Amino acid sequence: MKILVTAFDPFGGESINPALEAVKLMKDNIDGAEIVKLEIPTVFRKSIDKVAEAIVKENPDVVLSVGQAGGRFEVTPERVAINVDDARIPDNEGNQPIDVPIYEDGAPAYFATLPVKAMVEAIRSAGLPSSLSNSAGTFVCNHIMYGVLYQIEKLGKNIRAGFIHVPFIPEQVARRPAPAPCMSMVDIAKALEAAVTAIVKHDKDIVAVGGKID
C-alpha cells in the first residue's frame, strides 16, 4: 500500500507549519505502507493542482491531507468537505474567494472515504486526544479535502482520501490568552502515525459513537 500524505507550507508569515513538520517526522513505512510526503502551497486551486499531479505520478492507494486548526484541543479526522470557498482571510497569494463553489460541476459535498472513526479510536489508543469533526471549515483545508475527492472521482481511480486537522504546538500559544490548547510536534506525528495504522487495517470504518450535540 502507498499512502500520499500532504501538508501545507507555512501560512501568513509563520516560519513553520507544525502540520508539515509533523508529517516530516512520520516514519517512511507504517505497518507495511509506504508513506510519500508532499508539501503543498497554502493557496486556493494551486494546492489541488499539486496533489492531482502527485496522484498521477505516485498512483497512491490513499491520500491523507493534514492541516492545522488552531483552537482545537484534539486531533480531528474530518467526516465531510463542502463545495464552497468562503475565506475569512487571504491565502498565501492574497486570494480570498467568498461564497463561490470549488467546482461548478461538483457535488454539494463529499464524505471522507477513510475509516475516520477507526482513526479516532487508534489515536486515542495511542494515548492522545482525538474526536471526529463534522466541519473542515471553508478555507484551504476544506478546499483541499473537497478538491482531492473531486479529482479522484473525475479520474475514476479507486483511491481512498480524507483530511486530518491538528492543534497548535506549544510555541504558537506561548503568548496567547489561556486556555490555549496545544500539542507537541512529536505527539502530533504519533497521532498521524496511529491514524495511518487504522487506515491500513480498516477497509471499512468501525461502528462507534461519533456524533455531537451542538
Side-chain angles (χ1 to χ4, degrees):
M1 178 183 289
K2 181 186 287 188
I3 301 179
L4 176 65
V5 183
T6 82
F8 293 105
D9 62 7
F11 173 67
E14 295 284 342
S15 58
I16 65 168
N17 182 338
L20 175 61
E21 298 308 313
V23 167
K24 291 178 181 178
L25 288 177
M26 293 174 68
K27 298 172 185 175
D28 294 326
N29 189 290
I30 300 172
D31 283 357
E34 177 188 357
I35 308 301
V36 179
K37 304 167 186 178
L38 178 69
E39 179 178 341
I40 60 175
T42 309
V43 179
F44 290 100
R45 194 62 58 192
K46 284 187 178 180
S47 53
I48 295 174
D49 292 344
K50 185 156 187 178
V51 179
E53 291 173 3
I55 289 172
V56 173
K57 177 184 176 183
E58 300 289 347
N59 194 30
D61 301 287
V62 173
V63 179
L64 175 63
S65 300
V66 184
Q68 189 171 63
R72 294 192 185 184
F73 287 84
E74 303 162 307
V75 176
T76 51
E78 297 292 343
R79 193 199 299 257
V80 63
I82 59 175
N83 189 15
V84 65
D85 289 331
D86 191 8
R88 180 176 58 83
I89 52 178
D91 67 14
N92 275 349
E93 291 189 356
N95 305 298
Q96 191 175 1
I98 296 174
D99 295 336
V100 297
I102 300 170
Y103 285 102
E104 291 283 355
D105 64 340
Y110 286 112
F111 283 88
T113 50
L114 299 180
V116 289
K117 290 186 175 181
M119 292 158 67
V120 168
E121 290 302 317
I123 295 167
R124 289 174 176 174
S125 293
L128 297 165
S130 180
S131 67
L132 184 61
S133 170
N134 293 306
S135 175
T138 55
F139 195 50
V140 287
C141 291
N142 175 79
H143 182 85
I144 193 65
M145 179 179 173
Y146 184 94
V148 168
L149 289 161
Y150 172 94
Q151 290 292 329
I152 289 170
E153 180 181 70
K154 293 301 179 183
L155 289 168
K157 289 185 173 289
N158 184 26
I159 299 173
R160 295 186 292 162
F163 192 95
I164 294 182
H165 268 121
V166 301
F168 281 139
I169 57 172
E171 294 87 332
Q172 292 176 292
V173 303
R175 298 183 184 277
R176 293 176 182 267
C182 62
M183 186 179 292
S184 74
M185 199 96 72
V186 170
D187 280 347
I188 293 173
K190 181 180 176 182
L192 295 176
E193 290 179 349
V196 167
T197 296
I199 293 169
V200 173
K201 291 182 177 180
H202 296 272
D203 291 328
K204 295 183 178 179
D205 208 355
I206 63 173
V207 177
V209 174
K212 295 183 179 180
I213 299 175
D214 294 326

